[in-house]
Amino acid sequence: MTTPRQLIMAVLVALSAFCLFLCHPCAAQTTATFYAPPYTPSRCYGNEDHGVMVAAANEDTLWDGGNACGKSYRVKCLSETNGGVAVQCREGETVTVKIVDVCPSGCRGTIVLSREAFATIAVLDEEKIFVEQRISVSLET
């Protein structure tokens, strides 16, 4: 039999977990590559320009049938190796990008950053890097 105290504790634990879920966006370790301008037209916005801090979502993973359009991700390069060679991350740098396009099936990265976004977090000589990406919650309407 559950006591009122146990029930209250269970509710508090559930509420705490829910708050953590809302306050700490999900992070995933994935791979990133980059592409060069022009960034328009794009699959999400056609010829509408959304600047240079943009990205394309991998069709097989992140694209989600187009639901990724407009989502913002905060991306950080992780110091690991690529083919046995140390990746040249820009230590401590992160970049926030908006998904404006799709990278077709077979894409080399989970997220494909604009050249400018990639250069913010890693040396452009890198072809593919390991990154941590978090959905960036925006309060804009």
Side-chain angles (χ1 to χ4, degrees):
M1 178 166 186
T2 305
T3 66
R5 182 183 172 135
Q6 290 173 321
L7 183 58
I8 290 170
M9 291 302 291
V11 168
L12 289 175
V13 167
L15 283 173
S16 296
F18 182 70
C19 287
L20 282 173
F21 174 75
L22 288 178
C23 298
H24 297 286
C26 298
Q29 181 178 332
T30 57
T31 56
T33 58
F34 69 90
Y35 67 117
Y39 304 123
T40 58
S42 69
R43 182 92 170 263
C44 298
Y45 300 103
N47 289 316
E48 189 177 314
D49 186 7
H50 284 263
V52 297
M53 293 304 174
V54 295
N58 183 307
E59 184 174 40
D60 298 327
T61 56
L62 197 59
W63 180 244
D64 189 25
N67 289 323
C69 286
K71 288 187 180 173
S72 292
Y73 287 87
R74 188 175 49 198
V75 183
K76 178 181 180 180
C77 180
L78 299 176
S79 297
E80 294 192 19
T81 60
N82 183 3
V85 177
V87 171
Q88 297 179 26
C89 294
R90 299 198 188 282
E91 204 60 40
E93 295 293 327
T94 62
V95 65
T96 300
V97 294
K98 181 178 185 178
I99 301 294
V100 298
D101 217 338
V102 63
C103 187
S105 187
C107 189
R108 295 182 319 146
T110 303
I111 191 166
V112 183
L113 306 174
S114 66
R115 178 187 303 251
E116 294 83 354
F118 191 97
T120 300
I121 61 171
V123 174
L124 282 173
D125 291 343
E126 301 294 339
E127 292 180 18
K128 184 175 177 179
I129 58 174
F130 291 97
V131 296
E132 176 184 272
Q133 66 186 35
R134 293 181 182 268
I135 294 176
S136 182
V137 177
S138 173
L139 299 178
E140 295 178 20
T141 55

